[in-house]
C-alpha cells in the first residue's frame, strides 16, 4: 500500500541522514512526520532562532536602538514559531517518549520563562521601573536544543573537478555489493579514512561529550591547583624572606595570596619576565625555580589538559558512532520488514518493483539499480548506497552532448576540451593570478591599472565558462566542489560590484566607499585560488575543508558560551567604560570613568573594549579568549592582583 | 665452548637492550665488544661529554673565570677520551661498516676541527690577538652522536608498593609461553598499551624524525606565509587608505613590510590588542578582519603545524619499532644458531644445561626456568622474558622471613604487617602531611614550630622503616618504584641537612642560608607525596612518569639547540648589555649601552637578560622560547619592527 511505502521510505531516509526520532507508526503520525522533516520548516526554524539571537543588537544596550515594544513583538513571533514546532514534534512521537526527553522539557521551560520575563519587564517598564531582561541568557540554549541537524557528518569528499581523471573510469553503480569496490576505485584514500574523520556536527552531542569529560578535567585542574599552591609556598619561603622589592619599590613575594595570583598569571606567560626579574636580579638560582614552574605548569599541565579532553572526546565519539550504526541497521531492518514478500520455504526478499518505487520516493535522481530481488543483507546497505550521489552525477554525459552531439564531438570542440583539461591551462591561470596580485599591490589611481581590472575579470569569467563547457555542470557544481563554488561566487560578485561601481562613477554619483571595499576584498580573495594548484597545499586545504563541519560545530558552541557571557556582561558593566570616538570631551582621556584615570587601560586607548553593546561585548570576549594580556584589557589598576575570577569580581571592584 | 656462550650471551643481551651494533664475531672482537658495552666506560663517556659541555661556564665570557690553558687542558682530556672510545668502537666492528656510518665520521671530524680550533686560538692568544673559539658550537653534536643509549624505552612500569595486591597472586615464571599470561595477570592495563607508549630515548633518532618531518612542515609554513601576505595586502588596501594613526601619532598600516611584520607578531598575540585598536576605533568591521586573521593564522595553522609534526613523528616511530623488533628476532635467532643441538630427524633445540648457563651469563639474578629443552620459538622470547625482573623480584620472601621465621610469623608481627598495608595507614600519613603543610606555612621563628620539624621527620622515617619491615626491600627499591625512592631520598636528605644545621647552630657557627634553603625545599617537596594517595591523581602522575624518558630526550634535544644558540649569541652579543646589580653607576639606568637609553628594556630593569655568560644565555633563551613578548626582551627600540630573524639581525642593528 501507499502507506507502507511512505513508512519504509521514512525509515530509509532516517537511516540515510542519521535521524534518531522514535515516531508513531500510525498513518496520521507518519504524514505529520514527513512534514516535520521537510527542509522548509527546518530552515525557517533556524532562521527564527538566529532572529531571536540577533535581537540583542536592537535591545538596550543596543548597537541600533529600537523601541522595546518592537523587539518584544519579534520575540513573541519567534516564541510562537518555537511553540508550533514543539507541538508538531509532540504529535509525531508517542506521548510518553515526548515527556521523557529532557530536550523537550528544556524547550518548554525556556519558552515559559521567556514569556514570564517579558511580562515582568513590560509591566516594570509601564510603571517606569528599570527591569533586567534576564531570560536573554536562555536564548542560546534554544540553539542547542531545538536544532536537529545531522548527528554525524560522514566524509564523502571528492576532490574537485580540475582533476577528473580520478572519477573517469567509473561506470553506473548497479548493485550494492559493488559499493565497496566502486568507492575503492573512485577515491580510495578518502573513503578508507571514513571511520577516523567522523565528526560531531550535532551541538547537543558536542555539549554532552564536554560534560562527560568534566570530572576528569576537574581532577587535572585540582592537581594543577595543588602544584600552584606548592610552588607558591616555596616562593614565599625561599624568596619572600630576602627583602626584595619590585620595580615600583613594593615588597616582592611576601603575601601568599598575591604569590598564588602572580604565579597563576605566569602560567599564561602574561607577566613574564617581569614577575621573575627581581628574584633573578638577586640570584641566578631563582631563575631555575621560575623555569621549572613554567615547565611543569605551562607545558606539562596544559598538555595533560589537552590529552584528557581529547581522549574523552574520542572515546565518546566512538561510542556514539557505534550507537548510530546500530540504529541505522535497525531502521533498515524495519523498512525491509514493511516491504518484504513472505513466500513459503524461501528467504524473505524485496522484489524489483517495490525496490524501484522505494528508491524513487527516497531519492528521485538516484541511479537505477538492476537486480530482480533484494535480500535483507543487500537491502540494509541501501542507506549508504544512496549517499554516494557524486559518483552517479559524475558519470552523466554533458548536456551539450545530448543537445548537439555533432558539434560537441567535432574536432575543434574536442581540442578545446583537451586544452582546458591540460596542466598548462592551470599554469597559465596561476600566472594570470600572480600578475593580478602585482597589479593589486600597485597604486589603483593609475588609470591603466584601474582598467586592467576589467581584463582580469573577463579572463576569470572565461575560465569558468570554459570549464562549464568541458565538465558536466551538475558535477561541476556538486556539493563537494568547494573551489568551483568559490571561484564562481567570487568572480560573479566582483563582476556585479565592479559594474555597479563604474556605472555609479560614470553617472557622476559619489563613489560608495563600502562598494570599493567589497570589490577590493573580492579581488584579494581571488588570489587564494593559486593555493589549489600546488598538490601539497591542496592536501592541507582539503583536510581543513573536511574538518570544516566540526569546526563549525565548535564555532556554534563558542557562540553559545559567548552569548551567555555577553548578556551577563552587558547587564553588569554597560556604560561603565565609554568610548568617545573623535569627540574632544575631556572624559575621553579616562574612558568616562574616573576610576580609570591614569591606568594603562585608558592610556593605551582601550576604551572601545567594553560591554556597551552586543558587538563590543563579543569582540571583547574574543580578545579575552585569544590574548593572554588580561591585565591590560580588564580595566583594573596596574598591580592587577584581582582578576582571578575576572568577570564576577570586576563588578565589585570597579563600581559596587 | 666458552666463546660460543659469550657470543650467544652478547646476542641475547643486545636483543634485551635493543643495541644495534654489527660487531665482528671473532673471539678477539667479541671480548672487546663485551668491554665496550660495560657500564663503566659508558658512564665515563657521558661524564666527559658533560664535562666538555660545562667548560662553557669557565671559558670567556665566563660565570667563573678560569685561565684558558686550564680549560683547554680539560678539553684535551675530553678529546682523548672520545678518541679512545671511537678507536675501541672501530676495533669492535668490521672496518667497512665503520667508515660507512656517518656518525663515526661526524665524531672524527668534530675531534679534528676542535683540535684545529684550539691550535689556532692558542697561537693567536700567544701572539696577543683575540680569537673566537668557534668549535664550541660543535660540542653538543657529540652528545647526539657519541651516546649510544637504549633506542626505545619499553614500558614495564609497575605501580609502586603501597598497592601490592596487584602483584600478590604471581608465582615464579617457569616458561616463556606463560609470559603473555603472566604479564596479563600482573598489570594488564599497563602491558596492553606497550605498543602505544614506546618512546624514543635515542637522541639521534629524535633528530632524524624531526629532519624527516621538515619538508611537510615547510609546506605548512609556506601556506602560512601566503596567508600572511594575503592578509597584509588586504590590510594595506582596506585600512591603510583611511589615514588612521597609531597611539603615537605615526601613520597606521601604510607600509606593506611593516604590516607583514605586525601581523606576524600578532600570531604570537604579543601585540594584541594594541595593533587592532586604531582600526577598531575607526569601525567595528575591522575587528572582524583581525578576529578572522587570528582564527586562521593562530588557531588553525598552529593546529595544522602540530598535527603535521605529530603525524610524522608517530609514523617514523612505528617504522623504527618495526625495524627494532625485526633486529631483535634476528639476534635471538643467531644466538639460537650458536647454541642449538643438531640432532638428526629432530627439530633443532637448546638443551637445559646450555640454557641455564646462558641465562646465568646474561642475567645472574634472573628466575630459574625449568624446562628440559627449548624450541626456537620459545628461545626467541627469552629477551622479553628477561626484562620482567620486577615480577621475579616481587615473589621473593622477605629476608627477615628467612633470618628469623618464628619472630616474623608471630601474631604481633603479622598484625603490624596488616596495619601497615591497611588503607587507614595511608590516610593517617596523609593527615600528618596536611598538618605539616600548615606548620610550614606558619612562621618558623616560633620555637614550637621549629621543633615540630623533628617530630615530622621521625614520623616519616618511621613510615619508611615500617614499609621496609613489611615489604621485600629489593622490591621496595626496585627500578620503577618512583614514590618509594622519592620518599626515602627526600626524608634522608632532610634528616642529614637538619642535623648539620642544628649542630652548626648549637656550636654557635653562623647559620648557612643555603642549608636552610635546602631544608625548606625538601620540606615542601615532601608534601607532594599526598598526591599519590588519591587514585585519580596517581593515574595522571603515573602517566607523566611513564612518558618521562621521552620528555628527557626532548630536554636533551632542547639542550643541544640552546647550547648552539648560546655559543653563537655569546660571541655576537657578549657585554653589549650589562647588569650592574646594586652598584650606583649611572650606566645602570640604560644597562651600560647608550643605545638602550629610554627603552622599555632598560626601564623594566631587564638588564640581566643578556648573553654575557652561558647561564644568562640559557635563561634568556628559555624566556624567548616560553614567552611571546619578544619585543619586550630583545633590546630594540619601541617600534620593534626589526626582530624578524632576531638573533642574526640584532648584531647589525645595535652595534655594527
Ligand atoms: Na602574551
Amino acid at each position: 500500500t501507499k502507506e507502507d511505502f511512505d513508512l519504509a521510505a521514512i525509515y530509509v531516509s532516517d537511516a540515510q541522514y542519521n535521524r534518531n526520532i522514535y515516531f508513531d507508526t500510525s498513518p496520521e503520525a507518519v504524514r505529520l512526520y514527513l512534514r516535520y522533516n521537510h527542509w522548509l520548516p527546518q530552515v525557517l526554524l533556524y532562521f527564527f532562532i538566529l532572529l531571536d539571537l540577533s535581537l540583542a543588537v536592537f535591545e538596550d544596550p543596543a548597537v541600533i536602538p529600537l523601541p522595546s515594544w518592537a523587539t518584544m513583538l519579534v520575540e513573541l513571533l519567534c516564541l510562537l514559531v518555537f511553540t508550533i514546532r514543539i507541538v508538531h514534534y509532540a504529535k509525531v512521537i508517542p506521548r510518553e517518549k515526548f515527556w521523557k526527553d529532557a530536550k523537550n522539557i528544556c524547550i518548554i521551560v525556556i519558552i515559559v520563562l521567556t514569556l514570564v520575563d517579558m511580562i515582568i519587564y513590560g509591566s516594570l517598564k509601564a510603571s517606569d521601573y528599570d527591569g533586567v531582561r534576564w531570560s536573554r541568557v536562555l536564548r542560546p540554549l534554544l540553539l542547542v536544543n531545538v536544532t536537529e541537524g545531522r548527528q554525524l557528518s560522514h566524509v564523502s569528499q571528492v576532490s574537485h573537478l580540475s582533476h577528473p581523471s580520478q572519477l573517469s573510469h567509473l561506470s553506473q553503480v548497479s548493485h550494492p555489493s559493488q559499493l565497496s569496490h566502486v568507492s575503492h576505485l573512485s577515491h580510495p584514500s578518502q573513503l578508507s579514512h571514513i571511520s577516523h574523520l567522523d565528526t560531531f556536527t550535532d551541538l547537543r552531542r558536542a555539549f554532552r561529550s564536554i560534560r562527560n569529560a568534566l570530572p576528569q578535567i576537574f581532577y587535572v585542574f585540582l592537581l594543577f591547583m595543588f602544584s600552584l599552591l606548592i610552588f607558591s609556598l616555596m616562593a614565599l619561603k625561599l624568596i619572600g624572606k630576602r627583602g626584595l622589592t619590585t620595580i615600583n619599590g613594593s615588597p616582592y613575594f611576601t603575601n601568599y595570596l598575591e604569590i598564588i595570583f602572580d604565579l597563576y598569571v605566569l602560567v599564561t606567560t602574561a607577566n613574564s619576565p617581569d614577575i621573575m626579574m627581581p628574584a633573578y636580579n638577586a640570584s641566578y638560582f631563582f631563575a631555575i625555580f621560575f623555569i621549572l614552574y613554567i615547565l611543569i605548569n605551562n607545558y606539562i599541565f596544559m598538555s595533560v589538559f589537552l590529552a584528557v579532553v581529547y581522549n574523552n572526546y574520542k572515546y565518546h565519539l566512538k561510542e556514539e558512532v557505534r550507537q548510530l550504526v546500530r540504529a541505522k541497521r535497525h531502521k533498515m531492518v524495519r523498512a525491509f520488514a514493511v516491504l518484504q514478500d513472505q513466500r513459503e520455504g524461501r528467504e524473505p526478499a524485496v522484489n524489483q518493483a517495490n525496490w524501484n518505487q522505494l528508491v524513487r520516493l527516497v531519492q528521485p535522481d538516484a541511479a537505477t539499480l538492476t537486480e530482480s530481488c533484494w535480500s535483507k543483507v543487500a537491502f540494509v546497505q541501501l542507506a549508504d548506497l544512496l549517499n554516494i550521489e557524486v559518483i552517479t552525477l559524475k558519470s552523466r554525459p554533458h548536456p551539450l552532448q545530448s543537445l548537439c552531439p555533432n558539434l560537441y564531438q567535432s574536432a575543434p570542440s574536442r581540442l578545446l576540451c583537451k586544452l582546458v583539461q591540460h596542466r598548462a591551462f592551470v599554469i597559465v591561470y596561476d600566472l594570470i593570478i600572480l600578475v593580478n596580485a602585482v597589479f593589486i599591490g600597485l597604486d589603483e589611481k593609475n588609470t591603466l591599472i584601474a582598467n586592467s581590472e576589467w581584463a582580469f575579470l573577463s579572463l576569470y569569467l572565461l575560465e569558468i565558462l570554459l570549464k562549464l563547457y568541458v565538465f558536466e555542470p551538475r558535477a561541476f557544481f556538486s556539493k563537494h566542489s568547494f573551489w568551483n563554488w568559490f571561484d564562481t561566487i567570487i568572480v560573479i560578485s566582483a563582476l556585479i560590484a565592479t559594474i555597479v561601481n563604474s556605472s555609479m562613477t560614470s553617472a557622476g554619483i559619489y563613489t560608495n566607499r563600502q562598494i570599493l571595499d567589497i570589490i577590493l576584498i573580492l579581488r584579494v580573495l581571488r588570489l587564494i585560488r593559486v593555493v589549489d594548484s600546488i598538490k601539497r597545499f591542496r592536501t592541507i586545504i582539503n583536510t581543513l575543508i573536511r574538518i570544516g563541519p566540526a569546526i563549525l560545530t565548535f564555532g556554534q558552541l563558542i557562540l553559545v558560551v559567548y552569548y551567555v557571557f555577553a548578556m551577563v556582561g552587558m547587564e553588569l558593566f554597560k556604560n561603565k567604560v565609554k568610548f568617545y570616538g573623535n569627540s574632544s570631551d575631556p572624559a575621553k582621556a579616562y574612558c568616562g570613568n574616573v576610576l580609570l584615570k591614569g591606568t594603562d587601560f585608558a592610556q593605551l586607548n582601550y576604551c572601545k573594549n567594553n560591554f556597551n553593546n552586543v558587538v563590543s561585548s563579543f569582540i571583547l570576549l574574543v580578545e579575552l579568549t585569544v590574548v593572554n594580556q588580561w591585565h591590560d584589557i580588564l580595566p583594573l589598576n596596574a598591580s592587577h592582583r584581582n582578576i582571578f575570577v575576572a568577570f564576577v569580581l570586576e563588578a565589585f571592584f570597579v563600581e559596587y
Side-chain angles (χ1 to χ4, degrees), chain A residues 57-74:
Chain A
V57 176
F58 309 102
E59 288 165 340
D60 179 63
V63 184
I64 304 157
L66 282 183
S68 58
W69 62 261
T71 60
M72 280 168 86
L73 220 60
V74 175

PDB file of all heavy atoms in Angstrom, chain A residues 57-74:
ATOM      1  N   VAL A  57      21.124  42.840  19.228  1.00  0.00           N
ATOM      2  CA  VAL A  57      21.685  44.011  18.537  1.00  0.00           C
ATOM      3  C   VAL A  57      20.775  45.232  18.722  1.00  0.00           C
ATOM      4  O   VAL A  57      21.253  46.361  18.781  1.00  0.00           O
ATOM      5  CB  VAL A  57      21.882  43.692  17.029  1.00  0.00           C
ATOM      6  CG1 VAL A  57      22.371  44.910  16.264  1.00  0.00           C
ATOM      7  CG2 VAL A  57      22.832  42.523  16.841  1.00  0.00           C
ATOM      8  N   PHE A  58      19.467  44.979  18.865  1.00  0.00           N
ATOM      9  CA  PHE A  58      18.499  46.087  18.890  1.00  0.00           C
ATOM     10  C   PHE A  58      17.976  46.395  20.288  1.00  0.00           C
ATOM     11  O   PHE A  58      17.312  47.388  20.503  1.00  0.00           O
ATOM     12  CB  PHE A  58      17.322  45.753  17.963  1.00  0.00           C
ATOM     13  CG  PHE A  58      17.756  45.329  16.587  1.00  0.00           C
ATOM     14  CD1 PHE A  58      17.757  43.999  16.213  1.00  0.00           C
ATOM     15  CD2 PHE A  58      18.207  46.284  15.668  1.00  0.00           C
ATOM     16  CE1 PHE A  58      18.183  43.617  14.948  1.00  0.00           C
ATOM     17  CE2 PHE A  58      18.632  45.897  14.396  1.00  0.00           C
ATOM     18  CZ  PHE A  58      18.615  44.569  14.046  1.00  0.00           C
ATOM     19  N   GLU A  59      18.244  45.504  21.251  1.00  0.00           N
ATOM     20  CA  GLU A  59      17.758  45.714  22.615  1.00  0.00           C
ATOM     21  C   GLU A  59      18.760  46.545  23.408  1.00  0.00           C
ATOM     22  O   GLU A  59      19.953  46.490  23.147  1.00  0.00           O
ATOM     23  CB  GLU A  59      17.562  44.357  23.305  1.00  0.00           C
ATOM     24  CG  GLU A  59      16.378  43.562  22.785  1.00  0.00           C
ATOM     25  CD  GLU A  59      16.427  42.105  23.230  1.00  0.00           C
ATOM     26  OE1 GLU A  59      17.526  41.649  23.593  1.00  0.00           O
ATOM     27  OE2 GLU A  59      15.397  41.450  23.203  1.00  0.00           O
ATOM     28  N   ASP A  60      18.273  47.238  24.375  1.00  0.00           N
ATOM     29  CA  ASP A  60      19.130  48.054  25.231  1.00  0.00           C
ATOM     30  C   ASP A  60      20.092  47.179  26.031  1.00  0.00           C
ATOM     31  O   ASP A  60      19.661  46.199  26.625  1.00  0.00           O
ATOM     32  CB  ASP A  60      18.248  48.880  26.183  1.00  0.00           C
ATOM     33  CG  ASP A  60      19.088  49.719  27.107  1.00  0.00           C
ATOM     34  OD1 ASP A  60      19.801  50.591  26.590  1.00  0.00           O
ATOM     35  OD2 ASP A  60      19.040  49.471  28.334  1.00  0.00           O
ATOM     36  N   PRO A  61      21.423  47.387  26.081  1.00  0.00           N
ATOM     37  CA  PRO A  61      22.177  48.421  25.356  1.00  0.00           C
ATOM     38  C   PRO A  61      22.377  48.015  23.892  1.00  0.00           C
ATOM     39  O   PRO A  61      22.973  46.973  23.645  1.00  0.00           O
ATOM     40  CB  PRO A  61      23.501  48.453  26.090  1.00  0.00           C
ATOM     41  CG  PRO A  61      23.655  47.102  26.684  1.00  0.00           C
ATOM     42  CD  PRO A  61      22.285  46.577  26.939  1.00  0.00           C
ATOM     43  N   ALA A  62      21.906  48.858  23.003  1.00  0.00           N
ATOM     44  CA  ALA A  62      21.782  48.458  21.612  1.00  0.00           C
ATOM     45  C   ALA A  62      22.887  49.018  20.728  1.00  0.00           C
ATOM     46  O   ALA A  62      23.453  50.071  21.012  1.00  0.00           O
ATOM     47  CB  ALA A  62      20.443  48.906  21.067  1.00  0.00           C
ATOM     48  N   VAL A  63      23.173  48.283  19.640  1.00  0.00           N
ATOM     49  CA  VAL A  63      24.008  48.828  18.578  1.00  0.00           C
ATOM     50  C   VAL A  63      23.123  49.762  17.736  1.00  0.00           C
ATOM     51  O   VAL A  63      23.500  50.900  17.450  1.00  0.00           O
ATOM     52  CB  VAL A  63      24.590  47.703  17.690  1.00  0.00           C
ATOM     53  CG1 VAL A  63      25.537  48.280  16.647  1.00  0.00           C
ATOM     54  CG2 VAL A  63      25.277  46.650  18.524  1.00  0.00           C
ATOM     55  N   ILE A  64      21.946  49.248  17.352  1.00  0.00           N
ATOM     56  CA  ILE A  64      20.963  50.030  16.614  1.00  0.00           C
ATOM     57  C   ILE A  64      19.703  50.050  17.475  1.00  0.00           C
ATOM     58  O   ILE A  64      18.946  49.075  17.491  1.00  0.00           O
ATOM     59  CB  ILE A  64      20.653  49.375  15.244  1.00  0.00           C
ATOM     60  CG1 ILE A  64      21.951  49.203  14.440  1.00  0.00           C
ATOM     61  CG2 ILE A  64      19.609  50.184  14.472  1.00  0.00           C
ATOM     62  CD1 ILE A  64      21.871  48.121  13.387  1.00  0.00           C
ATOM     63  N   PRO A  65      19.461  51.112  18.234  1.00  0.00           N
ATOM     64  CA  PRO A  65      18.347  51.083  19.202  1.00  0.00           C
ATOM     65  C   PRO A  65      16.993  51.011  18.483  1.00  0.00           C
ATOM     66  O   PRO A  65      16.753  51.687  17.494  1.00  0.00           O
ATOM     67  CB  PRO A  65      18.490  52.404  19.957  1.00  0.00           C
ATOM     68  CG  PRO A  65      19.851  52.908  19.635  1.00  0.00           C
ATOM     69  CD  PRO A  65      20.191  52.385  18.282  1.00  0.00           C
ATOM     70  N   LEU A  66      16.140  50.127  19.008  1.00  0.00           N
ATOM     71  CA  LEU A  66      14.748  50.036  18.565  1.00  0.00           C
ATOM     72  C   LEU A  66      13.880  50.127  19.815  1.00  0.00           C
ATOM     73  O   LEU A  66      14.320  49.753  20.901  1.00  0.00           O
ATOM     74  CB  LEU A  66      14.488  48.701  17.859  1.00  0.00           C
ATOM     75  CG  LEU A  66      14.954  48.525  16.412  1.00  0.00           C
ATOM     76  CD1 LEU A  66      14.538  47.161  15.899  1.00  0.00           C
ATOM     77  CD2 LEU A  66      14.409  49.616  15.517  1.00  0.00           C
ATOM     78  N   PRO A  67      12.648  50.622  19.681  1.00  0.00           N
ATOM     79  CA  PRO A  67      11.767  50.637  20.866  1.00  0.00           C
ATOM     80  C   PRO A  67      11.550  49.212  21.359  1.00  0.00           C
ATOM     81  O   PRO A  67      11.484  48.272  20.571  1.00  0.00           O
ATOM     82  CB  PRO A  67      10.483  51.267  20.346  1.00  0.00           C
ATOM     83  CG  PRO A  67      10.551  51.181  18.866  1.00  0.00           C
ATOM     84  CD  PRO A  67      12.006  51.221  18.514  1.00  0.00           C
ATOM     85  N   SER A  68      11.413  49.071  22.695  1.00  0.00           N
ATOM     86  CA  SER A  68      11.355  47.717  23.241  1.00  0.00           C
ATOM     87  C   SER A  68      10.087  46.987  22.814  1.00  0.00           C
ATOM     88  O   SER A  68      10.082  45.757  22.746  1.00  0.00           O
ATOM     89  CB  SER A  68      11.481  47.758  24.769  1.00  0.00           C
ATOM     90  OG  SER A  68      10.469  48.553  25.311  1.00  0.00           O
ATOM     91  N   TRP A  69       8.994  47.731  22.502  1.00  0.00           N
ATOM     92  CA  TRP A  69       7.796  47.018  22.035  1.00  0.00           C
ATOM     93  C   TRP A  69       8.058  46.293  20.708  1.00  0.00           C
ATOM     94  O   TRP A  69       7.557  45.208  20.477  1.00  0.00           O
ATOM     95  CB  TRP A  69       6.576  47.948  21.937  1.00  0.00           C
ATOM     96  CG  TRP A  69       6.727  49.105  20.950  1.00  0.00           C
ATOM     97  CD1 TRP A  69       7.055  50.389  21.252  1.00  0.00           C
ATOM     98  CD2 TRP A  69       6.555  49.053  19.527  1.00  0.00           C
ATOM     99  NE1 TRP A  69       7.119  51.166  20.129  1.00  0.00           N
ATOM    100  CE2 TRP A  69       6.806  50.363  19.049  1.00  0.00           C
ATOM    101  CE3 TRP A  69       6.223  48.053  18.617  1.00  0.00           C
ATOM    102  CZ2 TRP A  69       6.738  50.694  17.686  1.00  0.00           C
ATOM    103  CZ3 TRP A  69       6.166  48.382  17.267  1.00  0.00           C
ATOM    104  CH2 TRP A  69       6.424  49.692  16.817  1.00  0.00           C
ATOM    105  N   ALA A  70       8.910  46.906  19.851  1.00  0.00           N
ATOM    106  CA  ALA A  70       9.205  46.288  18.549  1.00  0.00           C
ATOM    107  C   ALA A  70       9.977  44.987  18.739  1.00  0.00           C
ATOM    108  O   ALA A  70       9.627  43.944  18.186  1.00  0.00           O
ATOM    109  CB  ALA A  70       9.998  47.255  17.685  1.00  0.00           C
ATOM    110  N   THR A  71      11.058  45.042  19.532  1.00  0.00           N
ATOM    111  CA  THR A  71      11.851  43.821  19.723  1.00  0.00           C
ATOM    112  C   THR A  71      11.024  42.751  20.426  1.00  0.00           C
ATOM    113  O   THR A  71      11.143  41.559  20.117  1.00  0.00           O
ATOM    114  CB  THR A  71      13.119  44.110  20.559  1.00  0.00           C
ATOM    115  OG1 THR A  71      12.732  44.619  21.824  1.00  0.00           O
ATOM    116  CG2 THR A  71      14.015  45.102  19.847  1.00  0.00           C
ATOM    117  N   MET A  72      10.168  43.192  21.369  1.00  0.00           N
ATOM    118  CA  MET A  72       9.375  42.195  22.095  1.00  0.00           C
ATOM    119  C   MET A  72       8.325  41.552  21.184  1.00  0.00           C
ATOM    120  O   MET A  72       7.997  40.372  21.345  1.00  0.00           O
ATOM    121  CB  MET A  72       8.737  42.808  23.330  1.00  0.00           C
ATOM    122  CG  MET A  72       9.743  42.907  24.475  1.00  0.00           C
ATOM    123  SD  MET A  72       9.197  43.921  25.836  1.00  0.00           S
ATOM    124  CE  MET A  72       8.267  42.730  26.778  1.00  0.00           C
ATOM    125  N   LEU A  73       7.814  42.307  20.229  1.00  0.00           N
ATOM    126  CA  LEU A  73       6.865  41.753  19.266  1.00  0.00           C
ATOM    127  C   LEU A  73       7.543  40.670  18.420  1.00  0.00           C
ATOM    128  O   LEU A  73       6.998  39.572  18.211  1.00  0.00           O
ATOM    129  CB  LEU A  73       6.349  42.876  18.361  1.00  0.00           C
ATOM    130  CG  LEU A  73       4.858  42.821  18.010  1.00  0.00           C
ATOM    131  CD1 LEU A  73       3.999  42.903  19.266  1.00  0.00           C
ATOM    132  CD2 LEU A  73       4.506  43.944  17.048  1.00  0.00           C
ATOM    133  N   VAL A  74       8.772  40.988  17.943  1.00  0.00           N
ATOM    134  CA  VAL A  74       9.530  40.000  17.157  1.00  0.00           C
ATOM    135  C   VAL A  74       9.813  38.765  18.000  1.00  0.00           C
ATOM    136  O   VAL A  74       9.674  37.621  17.549  1.00  0.00           O
ATOM    137  CB  VAL A  74      10.845  40.623  16.629  1.00  0.00           C
ATOM    138  CG1 VAL A  74      11.694  39.570  15.930  1.00  0.00           C
ATOM    139  CG2 VAL A  74      10.550  41.775  15.700  1.00  0.00           C
TER     140      VAL A  74
END
